[in-house]
Amino acid sequence: MISALCACGILLSGVLMHPTRETLCELQWNDESQSIEIAFRLSLGDEERLLKEAKTRLQRWESEPTEGLDTNVKLKPQQVAFGRHMTFSNDESCPPAETRSNAAQFRWIGRQEEGIHVWWFLEYSSAKTDKTNGDGATSKPVTSKPPTYVRCDLFAEAARTTPHPNGHPPHDAFQNTFIVLGHPVPVSAVITPREPVAKLQWPE
């Protein structure tokens, strides 16, 4: 299905407008794995900046004493980038998640360059498990529905001080277009620093 996400993205990417900073994020729900399959397109320059920031944060996390099950997960910089800047939730306000535990829910798959852009492929697991049994083992994942809201604040700080090329206010200098696949026609939602949360309309 990841290949289908990429193929659809290549077709759609040519028709997008281009503010100062723009990303495209395609989402598809996988009912079998209880996860959101993500294809995320950004410029090569933004990838470099994002990874540099993520590696700095990862070094800080690794040097800090922590507690919890997710601390044993070996995180990649791409997971850290998403964990810090993207949150899925069923809460309409979609508050930012705890970054380390949120990052652990993303699974890095790989990347593919496309001209001056690059596609990142990840999965976000929303599967939940029951409480541990008496022998310490956990029961099978509980079937769940995909989260209904997403928050994204990638490049939000830079966007507040970067003029939009068409003369719009600085906070409009960044936008992230989320496209939900699986509908007869893909359904999209646009996120900006001024409106960082969007509702996701999943197929029935």
Side-chain angles (χ1 to χ4, degrees):
M1 288 191 184
I2 291 295
S3 60
L5 286 170
C6 182
C8 184
I10 292 172
L11 291 173
L12 290 168
S13 61
V15 298
L16 294 173
M17 300 298 289
H18 294 281
T20 301
R21 278 206 172 113
E22 175 196 55
T23 57
L24 170 69
C25 190
E26 296 178 350
L27 308 174
Q28 184 162 326
W29 175 249
N30 186 319
D31 196 53
E32 183 177 346
S33 64
Q34 295 287 288
S35 65
I36 300 173
E37 296 177 342
I38 303 169
F40 181 74
R41 193 196 73 162
L42 70 165
S43 73
L44 290 169
D46 281 338
E47 178 190 44
E48 183 179 353
R49 284 184 284 270
L50 197 58
L51 287 178
K52 183 178 180 180
E53 174 197 273
K55 288 174 182 177
T56 299
R57 173 62 63 169
L58 185 55
Q59 289 176 349
R60 188 179 307 168
W61 280 354
E62 290 175 344
S63 66
E64 293 174 349
T66 54
E67 297 180 359
L69 296 175
D70 60 325
T71 60
N72 295 323
V73 177
K74 187 67 176 177
L75 296 174
K76 297 183 180 297
Q78 293 87 349
Q79 292 171 280
V80 175
F82 268 60
R84 293 195 65 215
H85 298 291
M86 191 176 297
T87 308
F88 292 99
S89 174
N90 287 314
D91 184 340
E92 185 174 359
S93 64
C94 198
E98 295 181 16
T99 53
R100 183 187 287 271
S101 57
N102 192 39
Q105 289 185 262
F106 290 93
R107 183 173 73 88
W108 173 248
I109 295 173
R111 69 189 289 279
Q112 178 181 327
E113 291 190 17
E114 180 191 86
I116 63 170
H117 294 93
V118 60
W119 286 92
W120 285 6
F121 301 103
L122 303 96
E123 286 183 345
Y124 175 85
S125 175
S126 60
K128 298 178 179 178
T129 57
D130 291 332
K131 296 180 179 179
T132 55
N133 299 324
D135 57 2
T138 56
S139 56
K140 294 181 179 180
V142 177
T143 301
S144 62
K145 294 182 179 180
T148 50
Y149 294 92
V150 61
R151 170 185 289 271
C152 181
D153 62 2
L154 283 162
F155 316 120
E157 287 300 320
R160 292 189 182 97
T161 58
T162 304
H164 190 286
N166 294 329
H168 296 294
H171 51 243
D172 290 329
F174 163 76
Q175 75 174 33
N176 189 310
T177 302
F178 281 80
I179 298 178
V180 179
L181 304 180
H183 296 276
V185 176
V187 175
S188 64
V190 176
I191 281 180
T192 66
R194 182 166 44 180
E195 297 181 3
V197 177
K199 186 172 184 177
L200 299 173
Q201 299 181 30
W202 298 100
E204 295 294 334

